Amino acid sequence: GMSKFASLGSSAHIKCYSGTKLIYDGHSTGKVRSEANSDGYYFVDKADGRLKEVSGNCVIDYVK
């Protein structure tokens, strides 16, 4: 159920672009983590429960 997601922090809406092309549009179950020495981001995708890694030009919008 949704209760396990609630404990993970703020859900975020993530959109990533390659140039002007939208290459990812989805939601995380919790906080988005970033790699200190790269432009990568990690999060669990709400749609399939899988860990995703994205990089590049991403807009991360935290849902209140």
Side-chain angles (χ1 to χ4, degrees):
M2 294 301 292
S3 60
K4 70 176 180 177
F5 294 147
S7 64
L8 292 175
S10 305
S11 177
H13 182 196
I14 300 115
K15 288 184 181 176
C16 297
Y17 299 86
S18 177
T20 57
K21 185 177 179 221
L22 181 66
I23 56 172
Y24 178 82
D25 185 352
H27 291 82
S28 71
T29 60
K31 289 224 177 290
V32 176
R33 289 165 179 82
S34 60
E35 278 276 279
N37 55 0
S38 79
D39 62 351
Y41 301 95
Y42 298 87
F43 57 91
V44 176
D45 192 307
K46 192 174 272 187
D48 59 13
R50 293 172 62 113
L51 183 67
K52 294 288 195 319
E53 178 184 354
V54 295
S55 65
N57 183 15
C58 296
V59 177
I60 300 167
D61 181 25
Y62 283 98
V63 182
K64 296 294 179 228

